[in-house]
Amino acid sequence: MVSRSPYIIRLTALMLLAAMPARAEVLKDAFNSPMWEMLSERYFGQAAVIFDDRVKVSVPPIVENQAQVPITADARMLDGVKKLIVFADLNPIQLALELEPIKAKAFVAFRMKIEQATPVRAAALTEDGVWHVGGVFLNAAGGGCTAPPKDNGGVSWFDTLGETQGRLWQEKDGSVRARFRISHPMDTGLGRDNTPAYYIEKVEAKEPAGATLARLAMHEPVSQNPTLTLVVDLPRQDQGLDIDSRDNNGTIYRANLAAPWRQSHDDQREGSLNAP
């Protein structure tokens, strides 16, 4: 057996430490959130992080329903966004949603469950490997994450599960705004009745030919019957937008939203949702 002196062992350890990448310094948080340092390490790792006013998060000034809080994350002022995530620091499950804007804008609007007053943040990863973080403080009462889903209008969930309704609008820049709602209870698994977590975990917006325009990973904090708004680059000659989703039980749901330039007035009126 070859013996090694304590000096050699210490020298080897120091060399290994020197070779390791230095952990990025955690930025001082304007909200003084007790969770910021941990969440920064969890979501951004060793990557560079900056607070950036070009990443906008919009929330209502008054929250009337903690289980259905409208959230808008908009990073369209940045170029080359590869990923956009939304999280609430003081929720029991912080990460709500992740967007990959493959052929889409770095924009998403949805509704979220909130457990208590908390910073709500959006972080955009750009092609240079930098995370750009924006956020607001949401003043809300508690209970949104632990409350059970509301009754489905007297209809069994099994009869409506995965049903998707929505509409498309042509934007001035040629892109298409898609707003759609998927019927699903979106159980967090945190309720007192011990109902297990049951939620839609993946949504893809696709061209009818199959190309993915935007990909969403959703998590338990997204509200019951998730209502989502995306802005995608949909070719005008396409028949519409396909919405494929999958829940954490592996069930797959598929729907098509007809293109506005091919919808009749009656189709628009019958299938429309109120504009966000």
Side-chain angles (χ1 to χ4, degrees):
M1 179 180 294
V2 178
S3 63
R4 297 187 180 182
S5 71
Y7 172 78
I8 296 297
I9 294 174
R10 287 196 299 270
L11 181 60
T12 303
L14 289 171
M15 291 175 64
L16 290 173
L17 286 173
M20 294 175 62
R23 184 170 180 264
E25 182 180 353
V26 178
L27 298 177
K28 181 175 175 56
D29 179 32
F31 303 119
N32 293 318
S33 168
M35 300 295 292
W36 168 246
E37 184 172 351
M38 185 196 74
L39 295 176
S40 179
E41 182 177 353
R42 176 187 298 173
Y43 299 138
F44 313 135
Q46 302 296 326
V49 181
I50 61 172
F51 291 125
D52 196 328
D53 291 339
R54 292 174 295 177
V55 179
K56 307 290 185 182
V57 180
S58 301
V59 299
I62 299 175
V63 174
E64 298 178 348
N65 182 353
Q66 289 75 31
Q68 293 279 346
V69 180
I71 306 290
T72 300
D74 188 350
R76 287 177 290 183
M77 292 181 68
L78 295 175
D79 294 327
V81 175
K82 297 171 57 180
K83 191 174 186 179
L84 180 66
I85 69 174
V86 181
F87 59 96
D89 289 29
L90 302 182
N91 262 6
I93 302 172
Q94 291 89 10
L95 184 60
L97 180 145
E98 304 167 74
L99 167 68
E100 292 180 61
I102 300 166
K103 292 183 179 179
K105 310 301 182 188
F107 173 95
V108 62
F110 66 108
R111 294 178 184 268
M112 181 179 180
K113 309 180 189 87
I114 295 293
E115 188 64 15
Q116 62 180 308
T118 178
V120 178
R121 307 183 198 258
L125 176 64
T126 48
E127 292 173 344
D128 57 3
V130 176
W131 283 97
H132 303 253
V133 182
V136 297
F137 189 85
L138 176 66
N139 193 5
C145 292
T146 52
K150 290 186 176 181
D151 180 76
N152 192 27
V155 180
S156 169
W157 281 109
F158 293 102
D159 294 333
T160 65
L161 204 61
E163 287 185 0
T164 303
Q165 296 176 309
R167 186 178 172 185
L168 306 179
W169 289 265
Q170 189 84 50
E171 300 286 271
K172 291 181 179 179
D173 64 358
S175 60
V176 171
R177 177 163 48 101
R179 188 169 192 253
F180 54 95
R181 180 176 59 236
I182 307 172
S183 176
H184 204 281
M186 301 295 286
D187 283 296
T188 62
L190 301 177
R192 296 179 181 177
D193 57 359
N194 293 321
T195 301
Y198 181 43
Y199 57 96
I200 294 174
E201 62 181 5
K202 182 179 179 181
V203 177
E204 288 191 347
K206 298 180 175 181
E207 296 179 13
T212 299
L213 304 178
R215 182 179 294 116
L216 286 166
M218 299 201 303
H219 302 277
E220 295 94 327
V222 175
S223 297
Q224 174 182 335
N225 294 328
T227 301
L228 301 158
T229 302
L230 302 172
V231 181
V232 298
D233 299 326
L234 183 68
R236 188 170 178 81
Q237 68 271 17
D238 277 7
Q239 301 292 323
L241 186 69
D242 287 344
I243 304 296
D244 291 355
S245 54
R246 183 189 70 210
D247 66 29
N248 65 328
N249 278 3
T251 306
I252 295 173
Y253 313 102
R254 290 191 168 94
N256 176 267
L257 306 181
W261 47 89
R262 294 182 181 273
Q263 288 176 299
S264 68
H265 177 73
D266 290 338
D267 288 339
Q268 291 182 8
R269 182 178 57 196
E270 182 178 348
S272 68
L273 293 171
N274 292 328

